[in-house]
Amino acid sequence: MKFLKRLDSQLLTALIVMVASIIGFAATSFLINSVNKDIPFGFLLSGGVIASIYFLSHYLLAIDKRRGSTTFSIIAISLRLVLVMIALIILFLLNYKWDINLFNVFVFIGVYTFAVIVFGLINIFNKGKE
């Protein structure tokens, strides 16, 4: 527990999202041999992409804290938005234009919404500690 208390809010969010996506994959892994194989693979892809985005945000904000500026904070927020939009566009193109159903778009949206809620709750509970 002490390890989790020492983590930054972005790193803790990334860790929780990774664990939740692995649990989501394990819970839906029976669908791999059916028509809905895009759901478990959607959990793996979305968890990996979103956790990577939060890891990247953590490192950009750490640079920002050392410098004492807000430049990298703005870059982190913009980069998060751009990467999520690019991932969504690619997923929509794969599913609906090219008919390659490997990853579920709605699972990606759900995991991203879960990550935003977790990030908000972590910041609410840690208010004044950082």
Side-chain angles (χ1 to χ4, degrees):
M1 287 306 276
K2 290 181 182 181
F3 170 72
L4 294 177
K5 289 183 181 182
R6 287 186 281 151
L7 289 178
D8 191 11
S9 59
Q10 284 90 11
L11 284 178
L12 188 58
T13 303
L15 182 68
I16 291 172
V17 166
M18 284 176 31
V19 169
S21 66
I22 290 171
I23 290 171
F25 175 76
T28 60
S29 63
F30 67 93
L31 295 172
I32 290 176
N33 292 329
S34 70
V35 178
N36 296 325
K37 66 179 176 260
D38 57 337
I39 294 173
F41 293 134
F43 274 110
L44 285 182
L45 176 78
S46 59
V49 168
I50 294 167
S52 299
I53 289 171
Y54 277 100
F55 278 128
L56 183 64
S57 294
H58 166 72
Y59 290 118
L60 289 174
L61 294 176
I63 293 170
D64 225 12
K65 285 181 183 178
R66 275 188 275 142
R67 286 184 159 187
S69 66
T70 59
T71 307
F72 286 103
S73 298
I74 296 169
I75 290 172
I77 292 168
S78 303
L79 195 60
R80 184 182 303 167
L81 176 69
V82 168
L83 289 176
V84 167
M85 288 298 127
I86 288 172
L88 278 174
I89 289 170
I90 289 171
L91 286 175
F92 273 117
L93 286 174
L94 279 172
N95 281 331
Y96 300 112
K97 175 129 176 125
W98 300 316
D99 200 30
I100 302 171
N101 296 324
L102 288 177
F103 307 107
N104 196 319
V105 176
F106 300 108
V107 172
F108 186 89
I109 293 170
V111 172
Y112 183 71
T113 304
F114 173 75
V116 169
I117 291 170
V118 166
F119 184 70
L121 289 174
I122 288 171
N123 284 326
I124 287 172
F125 290 132
N126 288 338
K127 190 173 184 179
K129 292 181 183 177
E130 291 184 8

